[in-house]
Amino acid sequence: HLGRTYGNEAVLGMARENAAGALADYEKFLGKGFDALVAEWRAALLAAFEAVEDATEQAARYRSESPIAFMPVCDANGPVQR
């Protein structure tokens, strides 16, 4: 997402820093802070999901028919019973 949105050179420039991935580098190289970038990335993912015609049905089928159905899931309160 970062490479497509801000250019691979910006991402590579950040990776070349001594402390690659430092939070201050996001603002320096990409012009936005880490939290803003996370929110932007999440919004882009949700938009892509919503653009799929039967996304909700595909997601439900994946959760019920794939091995992910057997993975433990947690929320802020701990394990979730399925």
Side-chain angles (χ1 to χ4, degrees):
H1 171 77
L2 294 176
R4 283 191 314 272
T5 305
Y6 298 96
N8 289 333
E9 194 53 45
V11 175
L12 291 172
M14 190 169 70
R16 289 184 196 107
E17 294 291 292
N18 286 334
L23 291 181
D25 287 344
Y26 289 91
E27 181 79 36
K28 177 181 172 183
F29 286 93
L30 305 175
K32 292 185 180 179
F34 183 79
D35 291 338
L37 291 165
V38 168
E40 180 181 273
W41 174 67
R42 186 175 192 280
L45 287 177
L46 290 174
F49 178 80
E50 291 170 3
V52 175
E53 188 174 318
D54 62 344
T56 302
E57 292 82 11
Q58 286 187 49
R61 199 166 45 253
Y62 178 75
R63 287 186 194 97
S64 67
E65 297 174 8
S66 73
I68 199 169
F70 303 103
M71 295 180 71
V73 177
C74 296
D75 64 14
N77 299 315
V80 174
Q81 298 297 320
R82 293 199 237 186

XYZ file of all heavy atoms in Angstrom:
620
model
N 0.822 -1.189 0.000
C 0.000 0.000 0.000
C 0.869 1.258 0.000
O 0.631 2.178 -0.770
C -0.955 -0.012 1.186
C -1.689 1.269 1.374
N -2.753 1.621 0.590
C -1.480 2.297 2.229
C -3.179 2.823 0.973
N -2.433 3.239 1.963
N 1.872 1.291 0.848
C 2.715 2.492 0.932
C 3.457 2.742 -0.373
O 3.540 3.879 -0.832
C 3.704 2.375 2.094
C 3.083 2.360 3.483
C 4.163 2.140 4.543
C 2.303 3.623 3.758
N 4.000 1.701 -0.964
C 4.718 1.856 -2.225
C 3.814 2.331 -3.342
O 4.177 3.214 -4.121
N 2.622 1.743 -3.430
C 1.673 2.152 -4.477
C 1.180 3.576 -4.260
O 0.968 4.316 -5.216
C 0.462 1.207 -4.497
C 0.720 -0.114 -5.149
C -0.567 -0.898 -5.375
N -1.452 -0.913 -4.217
C -1.404 -1.816 -3.234
N -0.501 -2.780 -3.271
N -2.249 -1.778 -2.228
N 0.989 3.975 -3.021
C 0.406 5.286 -2.724
C 1.447 6.399 -2.706
O 1.196 7.487 -3.221
C -0.325 5.233 -1.369
O -1.277 4.171 -1.400
C -1.048 6.542 -1.075
N 2.606 6.145 -2.122
C 3.610 7.191 -1.926
C 4.870 6.998 -2.756
O 5.753 7.838 -2.739
C 3.972 7.284 -0.439
C 2.776 7.656 0.388
C 2.014 6.690 1.024
C 2.379 8.982 0.494
C 0.892 7.031 1.757
C 1.254 9.326 1.223
C 0.519 8.346 1.852
O -0.601 8.689 2.564
N 4.950 5.873 -3.440
C 6.102 5.586 -4.280
C 7.105 4.691 -3.580
O 7.379 4.852 -2.390
N 7.623 3.758 -4.338
C 8.601 2.822 -3.769
C 9.861 3.524 -3.297
O 10.485 3.098 -2.324
C 8.947 1.742 -4.792
C 7.810 0.782 -5.007
O 6.982 0.568 -4.122
N 7.751 0.202 -6.185
N 10.248 4.607 -3.958
C 11.471 5.305 -3.550
C 11.345 5.886 -2.146
O 12.294 5.857 -1.366
C 11.836 6.393 -4.562
C 13.236 6.920 -4.396
C 14.321 5.833 -4.374
O 14.285 4.914 -5.208
O 15.215 5.911 -3.497
N 10.166 6.392 -1.799
C 9.949 6.914 -0.443
C 10.061 5.790 0.582
O 10.693 5.952 1.636
C 8.586 7.593 -0.343
N 9.471 4.649 0.266
C 9.524 3.502 1.175
C 10.958 2.996 1.295
O 11.441 2.702 2.403
C 8.571 2.388 0.702
C 8.716 1.147 1.566
C 7.136 2.886 0.705
N 11.663 2.908 0.172
C 13.063 2.457 0.215
C 13.947 3.449 0.955
O 14.864 3.055 1.680
C 13.581 2.230 -1.203
C 12.959 1.036 -1.928
C 13.397 1.016 -3.384
C 13.296 -0.260 -1.235
N 13.680 4.733 0.793
C 14.437 5.744 1.534
C 14.278 5.553 3.027
O 15.249 5.638 3.792
N 13.068 5.273 3.458
C 12.816 5.028 4.874
C 13.528 3.757 5.323
O 14.094 3.706 6.415
C 11.312 4.912 5.107
C 10.933 4.900 6.557
S 9.164 5.091 6.830
C 8.552 3.541 6.230
N 13.549 2.747 4.484
C 14.197 1.481 4.832
C 15.710 1.620 4.946
O 16.356 0.835 5.644
C 13.844 0.417 3.796
N 16.276 2.619 4.277
C 17.735 2.816 4.324
C 18.201 3.516 5.600
O 19.405 3.581 5.854
C 18.177 3.638 3.116
C 18.085 2.892 1.817
C 18.643 3.734 0.663
N 18.216 3.188 -0.608
C 17.295 3.729 -1.413
N 16.716 4.875 -1.093
N 16.965 3.146 -2.537
N 17.280 4.048 6.370
C 17.654 4.736 7.603
C 18.273 3.752 8.599
O 17.967 2.558 8.578
C 16.424 5.395 8.235
C 15.844 6.529 7.420
C 16.761 7.740 7.392
O 16.947 8.375 8.430
O 17.301 8.041 6.300
N 19.126 4.275 9.483
C 19.773 3.413 10.487
C 18.760 2.674 11.341
O 18.918 1.499 11.620
C 20.705 4.233 11.378
C 21.971 4.623 10.653
O 22.397 3.949 9.722
N 22.575 5.718 11.062
N 17.729 3.380 11.797
C 16.678 2.747 12.596
C 15.448 2.595 11.698
O 14.424 3.239 11.894
C 16.369 3.584 13.820
N 15.570 1.766 10.682
C 14.497 1.595 9.696
C 13.177 1.289 10.384
O 13.117 0.454 11.275
C 14.857 0.485 8.717
N 12.140 1.997 9.967
C 10.821 1.781 10.532
C 10.509 2.626 11.748
O 9.453 2.480 12.344
N 11.409 3.520 12.132
C 11.147 4.395 13.275
C 9.903 5.233 12.978
O 9.688 5.682 11.852
C 12.343 5.297 13.542
N 9.062 5.440 13.978
C 7.804 6.147 13.766
C 7.994 7.535 13.172
O 7.201 7.959 12.332
C 7.021 6.216 15.071
C 6.477 4.882 15.577
C 5.703 5.073 16.873
C 5.610 4.195 14.549
N 9.039 8.238 13.552
C 9.282 9.584 13.022
C 9.561 9.554 11.521
O 9.302 10.531 10.818
C 10.442 10.235 13.759
N 10.067 8.447 11.023
C 10.403 8.350 9.600
C 9.176 8.350 8.698
O 9.261 8.740 7.546
C 11.246 7.107 9.330
C 12.668 7.254 9.847
O 13.081 8.394 10.140
O 13.353 6.225 9.952
N 8.048 7.901 9.193
C 6.846 7.900 8.359
C 6.493 9.327 7.954
O 6.224 9.603 6.785
C 5.676 7.227 9.083
C 5.863 5.737 9.192
C 6.488 5.168 10.295
C 5.427 4.904 8.171
C 6.676 3.803 10.379
C 5.613 3.533 8.254
C 6.239 2.988 9.360
O 6.434 1.636 9.441
N 6.496 10.222 8.909
C 6.213 11.630 8.622
C 7.286 12.215 7.712
O 6.988 12.910 6.738
C 6.144 12.419 9.930
C 5.832 13.882 9.757
C 4.368 14.157 9.524
O 3.528 13.461 10.121
O 4.057 15.068 8.735
N 8.543 11.903 7.996
C 9.661 12.448 7.228
C 9.620 12.016 5.760
O 9.807 12.834 4.868
C 10.972 11.982 7.877
C 12.228 12.403 7.155
C 13.453 11.861 7.898
C 14.731 12.071 7.129
N 15.884 11.471 7.824
N 9.362 10.743 5.504
C 9.436 10.219 4.140
C 8.094 10.186 3.412
O 8.057 10.250 2.186
C 10.045 8.814 4.142
C 11.523 8.823 4.386
C 12.029 8.687 5.660
C 12.411 8.982 3.338
C 13.396 8.706 5.899
C 13.778 9.003 3.560
C 14.275 8.871 4.851
N 7.002 10.033 4.163
C 5.706 9.871 3.520
C 4.772 11.059 3.745
O 3.703 11.128 3.150
C 5.042 8.575 3.990
C 5.893 7.307 3.805
C 5.199 6.106 4.412
C 6.206 7.067 2.340
N 5.157 11.963 4.639
C 4.360 13.164 4.864
C 3.172 12.984 5.788
O 2.389 13.904 5.981
N 3.034 11.801 6.370
C 1.942 11.531 7.308
C 2.478 10.679 8.445
O 3.362 9.852 8.253
C 0.800 10.771 6.634
C 0.055 11.572 5.608
C -1.119 10.783 5.078
C -1.863 11.609 4.036
N -2.992 10.843 3.481
N 1.905 10.879 9.626
C 2.282 10.081 10.778
C 1.773 8.658 10.668
O 0.884 8.343 9.864
N 2.336 7.789 11.475
C 2.011 6.365 11.439
C 0.523 6.116 11.639
O -0.098 5.356 10.891
C 2.831 5.614 12.500
C 2.604 4.134 12.490
C 3.217 3.336 11.544
C 1.773 3.533 13.421
C 3.016 1.964 11.519
C 1.563 2.169 13.403
C 2.183 1.386 12.459
N -0.092 6.748 12.644
C -1.509 6.519 12.920
C -2.388 6.921 11.735
O -3.354 6.231 11.411
C -1.941 7.252 14.186
C -1.328 6.650 15.442
O -0.934 5.464 15.413
O -1.261 7.364 16.459
N -2.062 8.035 11.095
C -2.823 8.473 9.916
C -2.668 7.470 8.781
O -3.642 7.168 8.068
C -2.365 9.859 9.479
N -1.472 6.936 8.605
C -1.233 5.953 7.548
C -1.994 4.650 7.815
O -2.540 4.048 6.890
C 0.260 5.676 7.398
C 1.068 6.846 6.838
C 2.553 6.613 7.057
C 0.757 7.078 5.378
N -2.048 4.251 9.070
C -2.798 3.038 9.425
C -4.281 3.241 9.107
O -4.928 2.370 8.521
C -2.600 2.664 10.911
C -3.585 1.603 11.353
C -1.174 2.200 11.157
N -4.818 4.389 9.481
C -6.230 4.675 9.205
C -6.492 4.699 7.698
O -7.507 4.177 7.224
C -6.627 5.995 9.853
N -5.580 5.291 6.953
C -5.708 5.352 5.489
C -5.674 3.951 4.876
O -6.469 3.625 3.995
C -4.556 6.196 4.946
C -4.525 6.379 3.473
C -3.323 7.212 3.083
O -3.414 8.447 3.089
O -2.269 6.613 2.785
N -4.751 3.118 5.353
C -4.626 1.748 4.856
C -5.890 0.952 5.152
O -6.416 0.250 4.292
C -3.398 1.098 5.490
C -3.227 -0.350 5.192
C -2.950 -0.918 3.980
C -3.317 -1.431 6.119
N -2.857 -2.292 4.108
C -3.077 -2.623 5.402
C -3.572 -1.490 7.482
C -3.096 -3.869 6.017
C -3.586 -2.731 8.090
C -3.345 -3.903 7.361
N -6.404 1.090 6.379
C -7.629 0.379 6.766
C -8.801 0.813 5.888
O -9.578 -0.020 5.419
C -7.948 0.628 8.231
C -9.115 -0.187 8.722
C -9.336 -0.007 10.232
N -10.248 -0.980 10.749
C -11.575 -0.904 10.640
N -12.129 0.110 10.003
N -12.344 -1.840 11.147
N -8.926 2.099 5.653
C -10.005 2.605 4.799
C -9.875 2.045 3.381
O -10.884 1.679 2.754
C -9.997 4.125 4.784
N -8.650 1.957 2.878
C -8.433 1.404 1.536
C -8.813 -0.072 1.483
O -9.417 -0.532 0.509
C -6.973 1.590 1.116
N -8.481 -0.824 2.528
C -8.855 -2.241 2.575
C -10.367 -2.414 2.612
O -10.926 -3.253 1.901
C -8.240 -2.918 3.800
C -6.748 -3.186 3.763
C -6.290 -3.784 5.085
C -6.393 -4.109 2.624
N -11.029 -1.622 3.454
C -12.483 -1.726 3.545
C -13.149 -1.345 2.229
O -14.120 -1.983 1.803
C -13.006 -0.851 4.689
C -12.661 -1.347 6.088
C -13.096 -0.327 7.136
C -13.285 -2.695 6.366
N -12.632 -0.321 1.563
C -13.185 0.081 0.262
C -13.011 -1.027 -0.760
O -13.926 -1.315 -1.546
C -12.522 1.375 -0.212
N -11.849 -1.672 -0.760
C -11.604 -2.775 -1.690
C -12.544 -3.945 -1.391
O -13.091 -4.569 -2.308
C -10.153 -3.228 -1.615
N -12.760 -4.236 -0.110
C -13.668 -5.309 0.292
C -15.088 -4.997 -0.163
O -15.780 -5.843 -0.731
C -13.613 -5.491 1.809
C -14.543 -6.551 2.330
C -14.198 -7.892 2.255
C -15.749 -6.206 2.906
C -15.047 -8.869 2.738
C -16.610 -7.175 3.396
C -16.263 -8.508 3.311
N -15.526 -3.773 0.068
C -16.891 -3.379 -0.293
C -17.096 -3.354 -1.810
O -18.232 -3.468 -2.279
C -17.226 -2.033 0.324
C -17.363 -2.117 1.837
C -17.465 -0.769 2.518
O -17.488 0.268 1.810
O -17.523 -0.750 3.754
N -16.040 -3.214 -2.575
C -16.149 -3.177 -4.031
C -16.401 -4.567 -4.626
O -16.829 -4.672 -5.773
C -14.884 -2.572 -4.638
N -16.158 -5.609 -3.846
C -16.406 -6.973 -4.315
C -17.906 -7.240 -4.180
O -18.486 -7.066 -3.103
C -15.589 -8.001 -3.500
C -15.942 -9.418 -3.899
C -14.105 -7.731 -3.669
N -18.521 -7.673 -5.277
C -19.977 -7.805 -5.333
C -20.571 -8.638 -4.196
O -21.519 -8.234 -3.558
C -20.385 -8.400 -6.678
C -21.876 -8.405 -6.901
C -22.237 -8.871 -8.291
O -21.560 -8.456 -9.250
O -23.186 -9.651 -8.411
N -20.032 -9.804 -3.930
C -20.582 -10.676 -2.885
C -19.578 -10.892 -1.755
O -19.444 -11.987 -1.222
C -21.050 -12.001 -3.480
C -19.912 -12.790 -4.115
O -18.841 -12.208 -4.356
O -20.103 -13.995 -4.358
N -18.916 -9.834 -1.363
C -17.842 -9.929 -0.373
C -18.310 -10.525 0.946
O -17.626 -11.373 1.524
C -17.229 -8.555 -0.138
N -19.460 -10.113 1.432
C -19.946 -10.618 2.714
C -20.187 -12.116 2.650
O -19.819 -12.855 3.568
C -21.227 -9.874 3.123
O -20.930 -8.471 3.180
C -21.722 -10.324 4.483
N -20.769 -12.586 1.561
C -21.022 -14.018 1.398
C -19.711 -14.791 1.275
O -19.565 -15.867 1.854
C -21.898 -14.275 0.169
C -23.312 -13.756 0.302
C -23.448 -12.258 0.008
O -22.488 -11.642 -0.496
O -24.519 -11.714 0.303
N -18.761 -14.243 0.511
C -17.459 -14.908 0.371
C -16.746 -14.987 1.715
O -16.150 -16.019 2.051
C -16.578 -14.155 -0.626
C -16.971 -14.341 -2.063
C -15.949 -13.706 -2.980
O -14.753 -13.926 -2.837
N -16.433 -12.923 -3.939
N -16.815 -13.914 2.485
C -16.154 -13.905 3.792
C -16.784 -14.934 4.724
O -16.077 -15.674 5.420
C -16.222 -12.511 4.399
N -18.103 -14.995 4.739
C -18.787 -15.971 5.597
C -18.438 -17.395 5.173
O -18.187 -18.256 6.024
C -20.294 -15.745 5.526
N -18.414 -17.647 3.872
C -18.058 -18.975 3.366
C -16.618 -19.322 3.749
O -16.324 -20.443 4.167
C -18.266 -19.015 1.852
C -18.366 -20.389 1.280
C -18.897 -20.439 -0.157
N -18.318 -19.452 -1.063
C -18.976 -18.368 -1.519
N -20.212 -18.131 -1.145
N -18.389 -17.529 -2.342
N -15.708 -18.379 3.623
C -14.311 -18.615 3.977
C -14.195 -18.959 5.462
O -13.485 -19.883 5.849
C -13.473 -17.374 3.648
C -12.029 -17.511 4.030
C -11.166 -18.303 3.282
C -11.514 -16.866 5.154
C -9.831 -18.448 3.631
C -10.186 -16.998 5.506
C -9.354 -17.782 4.745
O -8.039 -17.922 5.095
N -14.900 -18.201 6.296
C -14.826 -18.449 7.740
C -15.399 -19.808 8.126
O -14.964 -20.411 9.098
C -15.544 -17.339 8.495
C -14.795 -16.056 8.501
C -15.466 -15.009 9.398
N -14.909 -13.705 9.135
C -15.454 -12.795 8.337
N -16.605 -13.033 7.749
N -14.867 -11.646 8.142
N -16.387 -20.272 7.391
C -17.026 -21.537 7.766
C -16.445 -22.758 7.058
O -16.546 -23.869 7.578
C -18.528 -21.462 7.492
O -18.782 -21.371 6.104
N -15.836 -22.575 5.883
C -15.404 -23.724 5.088
C -13.892 -23.905 4.994
O -13.435 -24.887 4.426
C -15.980 -23.601 3.671
C -17.488 -23.635 3.638
C -18.053 -23.375 2.256
O -17.265 -23.322 1.277
O -19.278 -23.211 2.155
N -13.115 -22.984 5.521
C -11.663 -23.105 5.423
C -11.079 -23.423 6.798
O -11.767 -23.323 7.812
C -11.055 -21.808 4.880
O -11.099 -20.807 5.869
N -9.818 -23.797 6.845
C -9.184 -24.101 8.137
C -9.219 -22.947 9.138
O -9.063 -23.165 10.333
C -7.744 -24.446 7.749
C -7.837 -24.935 6.347
C -8.930 -24.100 5.728
N -9.463 -21.724 8.678
C -9.521 -20.605 9.611
C -10.658 -20.785 10.619
O -10.628 -20.225 11.705
C -9.631 -19.252 8.867
C -9.214 -18.118 9.789
C -11.030 -19.026 8.339
C -9.030 -16.784 9.104
N -11.634 -21.592 10.275
C -12.753 -21.850 11.181
C -12.276 -22.468 12.501
O -12.963 -22.367 13.511
C -13.775 -22.774 10.520
N -11.100 -23.071 12.499
C -10.599 -23.743 13.694
C -9.595 -22.900 14.480
O -9.084 -23.345 15.504
C -9.973 -25.083 13.308
C -10.940 -25.965 12.585
C -10.864 -26.113 11.213
C -11.961 -26.601 13.267
C -11.772 -26.907 10.532
C -12.881 -27.396 12.600
C -12.786 -27.545 11.230
N -9.320 -21.688 14.003
C -8.376 -20.816 14.702
C -9.077 -20.097 15.850
O -10.204 -19.628 15.686
C -7.777 -19.784 13.740
C -6.918 -20.411 12.663
S -6.224 -19.175 11.565
C -5.040 -18.406 12.655
N -8.431 -20.006 17.006
C -9.035 -19.265 18.117
C -9.117 -17.774 17.773
O -8.246 -17.226 17.108
C -8.077 -19.512 19.280
C -6.830 -20.023 18.682
C -7.153 -20.573 17.334
N -10.177 -17.148 18.199
C -10.406 -15.740 17.938
C -10.569 -15.022 19.268
O -11.223 -15.534 20.175
C -11.679 -15.543 17.079
C -11.983 -14.081 16.861
C -11.527 -16.264 15.752
N -9.994 -13.836 19.379
C -10.106 -13.039 20.594
C -10.603 -11.645 20.253
O -10.394 -11.154 19.153
C -8.747 -12.904 21.287
S -8.085 -14.472 21.865
N -11.263 -11.030 21.204
C -11.575 -9.618 21.100
C -11.006 -8.945 22.345
O -10.213 -9.547 23.072
C -13.072 -9.375 20.915
C -13.916 -9.815 22.113
O -13.354 -10.062 23.208
O -15.150 -9.890 21.961
N -11.391 -7.738 22.627
C -10.812 -6.995 23.754
C -11.070 -7.679 25.085
O -10.352 -7.468 26.056
C -11.368 -5.575 23.775
N -12.086 -8.537 25.146
C -12.445 -9.210 26.402
C -11.864 -10.612 26.510
O -12.120 -11.305 27.475
C -13.970 -9.266 26.536
C -14.572 -7.895 26.580
O -14.088 -7.015 27.282
N -15.608 -7.678 25.785
N -11.107 -11.064 25.511
C -10.518 -12.390 25.552
C -11.080 -13.280 24.473
O -11.638 -12.802 23.489
N -10.975 -14.614 24.664
C -11.414 -15.555 23.640
C -12.908 -15.433 23.338
O -13.710 -15.184 24.225
C -11.099 -16.921 24.244
C -10.054 -16.641 25.266
C -10.335 -15.258 25.791
N -13.245 -15.611 22.071
C -14.635 -15.548 21.628
C -15.087 -16.959 21.298
O -14.398 -17.684 20.576
C -14.763 -14.643 20.383
C -16.173 -14.685 19.823
C -14.348 -13.226 20.715
N -16.219 -17.362 21.817
C -16.785 -18.683 21.510
C -17.517 -18.606 20.178
O -18.216 -17.658 19.896
C -17.770 -19.109 22.600
C -17.130 -19.252 23.960
C -16.079 -20.328 24.004
O -16.250 -21.387 23.418
N -14.992 -20.068 24.682
N -17.306 -19.612 19.326
C -18.010 -19.651 18.035
C -18.980 -20.793 18.026
O -18.873 -21.769 18.583
C -17.013 -19.829 16.897
C -16.131 -18.655 16.724
C -15.552 -18.703 15.374
N -14.097 -18.686 15.424
C -13.356 -18.611 14.356
N -13.895 -18.569 13.182
N -12.063 -18.583 14.440
